[in-house]
């Protein structure tokens, strides 16, 4: 069981939606401090102000960062350590919704988590953790497991995030650095990110496929996902993949291919 109390967390895309819910959940769960990384400064400073008013001065900091920019991302880790001295938990959550520019999409939604995972795993968490172990949570999506006809490139980026997590989440790596890497796949969740228009899609057929997919679904609150994240950080095994959907507690997905090729 990983003990979250007194730990330091870093969350990308923590200014709204699921990321903002995770930030608040972390402080409620007893983390000592959190760094919120996102591109929009105004929103970020407001979120941090609200959190510090609720949980105490200095608990949260905002670092303006584009996760597609490796130097900015690296600098954000450095700043986090400057302020809090430690780093224990990293959540790669940021997502961009400008679906027509798929190069940007992949840069944020897949390259971003790869950069965040490698920086945290190979350098910052092993050097600066508070205790004996660290955790990286990569936010994927059920689209990464089952596909998404409305946004194939989104599904591709999210499938990549799962295999990134399963591969670096191999115990060969864990035994070296003692950092668990876990993927969490939310289902349809009520966030500003899902308020999309046709402009966010590759074209009308894609947007229609998205609308058909979600028309009978009721989005779960983002707090269902944030609670699941804390739960999985505590009890999830290294390399595991979890689904959190339909407003239910998270459950682990057993990908049978594990057994066939033994990774
Ligand atoms: N909402 C859903 O239905 C749903 C379902 C499955 C998975 N997810 C996943 O959950 C995560 C959060 O989704 P959401 O719906 O809360 O998103 P959202 O669009 O509401 O919020 C995205 C956050 O990412 C930040 N961001 C965007 N580009 C960035 C960049 N280049 N660098 C740093 N930060 C950047 C934004 O500022 C914002 O804080 C994503 O990984 C998403 O794929 C969401």
């Amino acid at each position: 069981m990983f003990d979250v109390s007194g730990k330091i967390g870093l969350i990308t895309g923590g200014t709204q939606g699921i990321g903002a819910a995770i930030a608040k959940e972390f402080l409620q769960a007893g983390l000592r401090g959190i760094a919120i990384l996102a591109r929009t400064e105004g929103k970020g400073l407001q979120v941090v102000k609200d959190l510090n008013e609720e949980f105490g001065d200095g608990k949260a900091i905002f670092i303006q960062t584009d996760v597609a920019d490796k130097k900015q991302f690296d600098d954000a880790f450095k700043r986090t350590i400057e302020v809090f001295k430690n780093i224990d938990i990293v959540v790669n959550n940021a997502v961009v919704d400008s679906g027509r520019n798929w190069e940007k999409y992949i840069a944020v939604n897949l390259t971003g988590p790869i950069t965040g995972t490698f920086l945290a795993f190979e350098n910052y968490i092993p050097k600066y953790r508070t205790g004996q172990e660290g955790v990286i949570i990569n936010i994927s999506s059920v689209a990464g497991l089952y596909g998404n006809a409305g946004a194939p490139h989104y599904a591709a980026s999210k499938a990549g995030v799962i295999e990134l997590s399963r591969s670096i989440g191999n115990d060969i790596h864990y035994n070296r650095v003692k950092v668990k890497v876990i993927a969490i796949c939310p289902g349809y969740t009520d966030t500003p990110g899902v308020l999309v228009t046709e402009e966010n899609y590759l074209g009308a057929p894609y947007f229609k496929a998205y609308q058909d997919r979600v028309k009978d679904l009721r989005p779960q609150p983002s707090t269902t996902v944030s609670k699941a994240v804390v739960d999985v950080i505590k009890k999830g095994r290294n390399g595991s993949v979890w689904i959190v959907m339909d407003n239910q507690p998270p459950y682990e997905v057993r990908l049978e291919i594990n057994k066939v090729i033994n990774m």
Side-chain angles (χ1 to χ4, degrees), residues 12-20 22 36-40 43 63-69 72 92-97 104 107-109 113 138-143 154 157-158 184-194 210 219-220 222 225 244:
T12 70
T15 57
Q16 64 177 44
I18 291 171
I22 294 170
I36 292 176
L37 280 49
R39 273 179 322 172
T40 41
K43 212 170 197 173
I63 308 169
Q64 189 171 16
T65 312
D66 179 351
V67 297
D69 183 318
Q72 284 186 29
N92 287 301
N93 162 83
V95 71
V96 73
D97 60 6
K104 179 70 183 167
V108 176
N109 299 358
N138 287 324
I139 304 294
S140 175
S141 165
V142 290
Y154 175 73
S157 69
K158 291 297 173 181
I184 296 185
C185 304
Y188 191 36
T189 307
D190 190 10
T191 70
V194 297
Y210 163 74
Q220 62 189 355
S222 48
V225 181
V244 51

Side-chain angles (χ1 to χ4, degrees), residues 107 110 137 218:
L110 179 57
I137 296 289
R218 276 192 56 204

Side-chain angles (χ1 to χ4, degrees), residues 162-163 165-171 237-241 252-263:
I162 292 170
E163 293 312 322
S165 311
R166 278 165 31 94
S167 303
I168 199 162
N170 188 301
D171 284 345
R237 65 185 179 91
N238 180 42
S240 59
V241 180
E252 189 179 340
V253 192
R254 296 282 178 167
L255 294 163
E256 293 303 317
I257 194 142
N258 254 346
K259 292 178 186 159
V260 179
I261 63 166
N262 196 26
M263 289 208 298

Side-chain angles (χ1 to χ4, degrees), residues 3-145:
D3 182 6
V4 298
S5 68
K7 301 296 188 326
I8 302 298
L10 177 154
I11 306 133
T12 70
T15 57
Q16 64 177 44
I18 291 171
I22 294 170
K24 187 164 180 175
E25 200 75 45
F26 274 2
L27 293 178
Q28 269 162 353
L31 267 76
R32 178 160 46 97
I34 55 165
I36 292 176
L37 280 49
R39 273 179 322 172
T40 41
E41 188 175 36
K43 212 170 197 173
L45 293 174
Q46 186 58 49
V47 168
V48 157
K49 182 170 176 283
D50 293 346
L51 288 172
N52 284 334
E53 270 169 23
E54 188 173 349
F55 294 97
D57 249 5
K59 287 273 183 185
I61 59 168
F62 174 71
I63 308 169
Q64 189 171 16
T65 312
D66 179 351
V67 297
D69 183 318
K70 191 173 168 190
K71 169 140 189 353
Q72 284 186 29
F73 210 165
D74 190 51
D75 286 346
F77 275 95
K78 289 195 176 95
R79 176 80 190 128
T80 304
I81 287 148
E82 231 171 70
V83 174
F84 294 117
K85 312 292 175 229
N86 297 105
I87 184 151
D88 304 286
I89 302 168
V90 168
V91 184
N92 287 301
N93 162 83
V95 71
V96 73
D97 60 6
S98 58
R100 292 190 181 195
N101 178 351
W102 56 80
E103 293 88 346
K104 179 70 183 167
Y105 219 73
I106 296 302
V108 176
N109 299 358
L110 179 57
T111 310
I114 291 173
T115 304
T117 298
F118 285 151
L119 288 173
F121 192 88
E122 293 294 352
N123 189 13
Y124 291 105
I125 296 182
K127 268 195 203 145
Y128 295 102
R129 65 186 150 213
T130 310
Q132 298 300 309
E133 200 185 26
V135 184
I136 299 171
I137 296 289
N138 287 324
I139 304 294
S140 175
S141 165
V142 290
L145 290 164

